[in-house]
Amino acid sequence: MADTAPCRILVMASGFGSNFQALIDGIANGALPRSKIISLITNRKSAHATVRADNAGIPWEYFNLISNGFQQKGEKDEAAILAARAKYDAALADKILAAPVGQRPELIVLAGWMYVFSPAFLDPIDKAGIRIINLHPAMPDCSLLGQKETEKKRSNITGEFDGAGAIERAYAAFQAGTLKRTGIMAHYVIAEVDRGAPIIVQEIPWEGEDLEALQAKIHGHEHALIVNATAKVAKEIVDGRS
């Protein structure tokens, strides 16, 4: 008999948690079917996402690079920072994988998670068959969008504006006359920042807005995109169970 239990989702968020709330609401209103958020992890004690979790009855945990003793506050040595981050990443992966297989998340959604994972986290999570997805306010290399999902999932896909400041860089390109549209994408997470294969992409035209208005316009599309992308991947996971 097919296993039709909801897809178990772990959300990771660092801030206000509006995308997290969109996922909670999506499950409640049916936009995100066959899914259950089993927990939230945050790396910032003051994250409002924890209030949203409490209101929804979702258990959460605070796990921080410095507060949990992996890195000294104010550390400047690059080698020490890299070593500390690798230990933190490995410990976080161990924490997630400590649960019995039937209780572990099947999907991790980064919903405003302000931290870049290293292979010390990504490799054991991938080995356990857990998918990780993220939202990024920029377009991927559009020439690769026609590939089949199975062909591109592990691809290192160059985006138009990888990393931080994507909206600001797109706006600078608008001002320079080299670009007339930007967009947002949900993508799989790999070690190369914002270069995992896209799941859903939405193009957003520039219509002469200033930077603040452009930011608001882009953010206004994010909630629907993260819900739709999570629903797409969750369906694949549930349908793919043996």
Side-chain angles (χ1 to χ4, degrees), residues 83-156:
R85 290 173 71 93
K87 289 179 181 177
Y88 170 80
D89 287 7
L92 183 53
D94 287 345
K95 181 181 290 292
I96 293 169
L97 297 176
V101 173
Q103 298 175 26
R104 292 176 185 170
E106 297 169 284
L107 172 62
I108 297 173
V109 180
L110 306 185
W113 176 254
M114 306 307 291
Y115 179 87
V116 177
F117 284 124
S118 72
F121 176 83
L122 298 174
D123 288 351
I125 293 296
D126 180 63
K127 186 176 180 180
I130 301 170
R131 304 192 200 186
I132 311 174
I133 68 174
N134 183 48
L135 189 68
H136 183 60
M139 296 284 285
D141 180 346
C142 294
S143 68
L144 297 171
L145 294 181
Q147 292 185 9
K148 293 180 180 178
E149 197 73 28
T150 53
E151 295 174 346
K152 68 187 182 182
K153 182 178 176 184
R154 302 300 175 195
S155 299
N156 182 341

Side-chain angles (χ1 to χ4, degrees), residues 68-84:
N68 287 86
F70 295 94
Q71 180 180 308
Q72 293 294 317
K73 188 174 182 179
E75 180 64 70
K76 302 295 184 183
D77 182 77
E78 185 174 343
I81 291 172
L82 288 174

Side-chain angles (χ1 to χ4, degrees), residues 157-230:
I157 295 176
T158 303
E160 288 183 336
F161 302 105
D162 299 335
I167 299 176
E168 290 81 0
R169 285 181 283 152
Y171 183 73
F174 297 152
Q175 295 295 95
T178 59
L179 198 65
K180 292 184 178 180
R181 59 99 190 98
T182 184
I184 52 177
M185 66 171 171
H187 64 90
Y188 287 103
V189 175
I190 60 174
E192 293 78 17
V193 177
D194 298 324
R195 292 195 174 188
I199 300 159
I200 296 179
V201 173
Q202 182 175 349
E203 189 172 294
I204 299 173
W206 181 55
E207 299 171 304
E209 305 97 336
D210 62 16
L211 177 58
E212 185 177 353
L214 178 65
Q215 289 172 327
K217 181 180 182 178
I218 290 173
H219 292 321
H221 291 280
E222 289 181 348
H223 294 170
L225 191 84
I226 197 169
V227 169
N228 291 338
T230 302

